[in-house]
Amino acid sequence: MITGYSQINRIDEALQLFDAMPAPDVVSWNPMIKGCLSCGNLDLARKLFDEMPERNVISWTTIINGFAQSGRVEIAEDLLFRKMIWRDTAAWNSMIFGKHEDALEVFYNMIKAGIKPNQSTFTLWAGYGLNSKHEDALNSCCGLEALDRGKQIHTKTIKRGLDLDVFLGNSLVVMYSKCGNINDGMAVFYKISNRNLVSWNSLIVACAQHDYGVRALEFFDQMTHAQVHPDEITFVGLLTACSHCRMLEKGRSGNLEEAQEFIQNMPVKANSMVWLALLSACRVHSNVELAERAARRIFGIEPHSSAAYILSYNFYASCERWNDVSQIRKIIKDRGIVKMPGCSWITVKRLKHEFPSGDRSHPMSKEIYAKLDSLTGKLKDFGYVSDKSFALHDVEDEQKEVMLSRHSERLAIAFGLLCTVEGSTITVMKNLRVCGDCQRAIKLITKVVGREIIVGDSSRFHHFKNGACSCGDYW
C-alpha cells in the first residue's frame, strides 16, 4: 500500500500508513524512502534514512541513487564514500549515473576498488542517448567526445566476459557515432543478435548525422523486413537523412512553399518548433519573404522566442540587410536575449581543449595563430577567397576576413594539427552550425595537410577529406 500510494504521488497517505505500522522493519522503511525520493521530497527522504534503526544495501543504494538522479551529487558522493560500509555494484552504478562528466572517473575508481562492473554499469538501462536525459559511462564519452576512453570501456566489457546484449550494444552504437566514428558504430550493430527498436533507431539516426542517407534508407528496409515497427524517432531520423543528403523525392527537402502549406494543413496546430524548422530552412535556401512570414508566426505563438530572434538576426546579416539587423539587435538587447557565442573543442590525450571564436586565452595561442596564418596563406594558393557574407557584423571587409579566419572550429583544428600524430584524423566538436566559409576553408585544409578532419556541429557531422565534404556542400 505504501508503494502504491507513492507511485501515484499520494505521499501523505503513504506516510500515514507508515506511521500507523506497529513495528516497521527495514523492508517497510525502504519503500517509504523511495516514495519520498520519487515525489521529489529529498529532505524527508534523508530524514527518514537518518532515523532508520537498521539499514541494508538496498537502503543505501536507494538513497544514493535518489540523490544522484536529482542532481544532488555531492550528497550522494558523501553517502557512498564516507558513510556506506558495503559499496556494491548497484551503489557505484548510481554514482556513475549521477556524475555525468565525472562518470569516467567514478568508473575507474570502481575498478580500483575491486568491484566488478555489470551490464548496467555500462548502459544503466535508459541512457541510450536517443531520447533520454540520463548519462552513463559510455554516454559520458559522447559528451566529452573522448573516443579513446569509450574504446577502453568497450575493451573492458570484452575482457570481463560481458556479452554484447542489446542494452550494451545500443549504448556502444550511440557512443561511437556521437564521437564521430560511424563505422565502428555499424560494426557493433551487426554484432547485436537480439536487436530491438532502439537498436535500429540508434543506427538510422547515426547515419543521418553522418550523411549516410542511402544507408539510413537501406537499414530502414531491413528493419521493416525484420518486422520491427518504426516510431516517431525512426521517421525523424529518416527525414533528417533525406534532408542532409538532398534526396528530394524521398524526404521532399527544399520545397519551402510546399512545406509551409503542409504546416498550415496539419491536423493539429503547429507549435513554434515547427515554424522554427521552416525559418531555419529559409535561411539555408535564402528565401527572405517566407522567412519573415515564418518569424511572424513564431512571434505570434511565442513573443519572446530567443531562437527566432537570433535566426532572424543571422538571416538578415547574411543578406547584408543591416537596418533590419540593427532593429533585431535592439530588440535582443531590450529583452535581454543572450546569443550563444560560437565555441569548439577537441580532446587530445584525454584533455578537452575549448576555443571560443577569436579566443587567445589558450597557453598555445601564439603557436595556434601562427599555424592559422600559415594555413590561410596556403589556402589562397588553392584559390580560397573568404565569403564575407558569413561575417555577421557591419565592419570593413578586411576586418570581416580576419574575423572569419578566427572562427572557433579553425582554432581547434589548428591546435589539433599541432598536437596530434601526423596523418591521424582530427575530430572537432562545435556548439553551433559550421558556417559556409569555414566549410569551404576546411575542405581546402584537408588538401593542404593531407589529413581527414571530422567536425560535429549542432546539426550533423561533416567528414572532410581530400578537399571534399560528406555533406556535398549542402546543410
Side-chain angles (χ1 to χ4, degrees), residues 266-335:
M266 284 169 57
V268 295
K269 188 176 181 180
N271 60 20
S272 60
M273 295 303 297
V274 175
W275 289 106
L276 274 170
L278 182 61
L279 176 58
S280 179
C282 289
R283 186 191 174 194
V284 172
H285 297 281
S286 302
N287 191 324
V288 179
E289 182 182 351
L290 186 53
E292 291 177 332
R293 293 206 300 267
R296 286 195 294 271
R297 289 278 192 169
I298 296 166
F299 296 136
I301 300 169
E302 194 177 343
H304 300 283
S305 172
S306 59
Y309 282 114
I310 291 168
L311 274 173
S312 299
Y313 176 95
N314 292 342
F315 185 83
Y316 285 132
S318 65
C319 300
E320 298 189 355
R321 291 175 55 169
W322 301 117
N323 288 335
D324 293 315
V325 168
S326 297
Q327 291 179 16
I328 296 290
R329 185 188 292 121
K330 185 178 185 304
I331 295 173
I332 289 174
K333 183 179 179 181
D334 292 344
R335 298 192 177 181

Side-chain angles (χ1 to χ4, degrees), residues 211-253:
D211 300 321
Y212 281 41
V214 174
R215 297 298 299 274
L217 294 171
E218 290 174 352
F219 284 125
F220 177 67
D221 289 339
Q222 295 175 27
M223 174 183 175
T224 54
H225 287 149
Q227 297 184 334
V228 178
H229 299 291
D231 63 2
E232 63 273 14
I233 296 175
T234 317
F235 289 110
V236 168
L238 290 170
L239 288 170
T240 303
C242 293
S243 172
H244 284 179
C245 298
R246 304 184 78 171
M247 292 187 287
L248 177 62
E249 292 307 313
K250 291 287 186 181
R252 310 214 57 77
S253 59

Side-chain angles (χ1 to χ4, degrees), residues 439-463:
Q439 193 261 357
R440 290 177 56 246
I442 298 170
K443 285 195 301 180
L444 293 176
I445 289 174
T446 61
K447 295 185 74 172
V448 171
V449 301
R451 298 171 69 172
E452 182 178 0
I453 298 173
I454 300 172
V455 180
D457 66 11
S458 60
S459 175
R460 73 207 298 168
F461 280 88
H462 297 261
H463 294 253

Side-chain angles (χ1 to χ4, degrees), residues 81-97:
F81 293 114
R82 297 188 182 182
K83 296 186 172 68
M84 187 177 183
I85 299 174
W86 308 281
R87 302 170 192 161
D88 65 351
T89 303
W92 282 97
N93 286 351
S94 298
M95 283 307 304
I96 290 175
F97 184 94

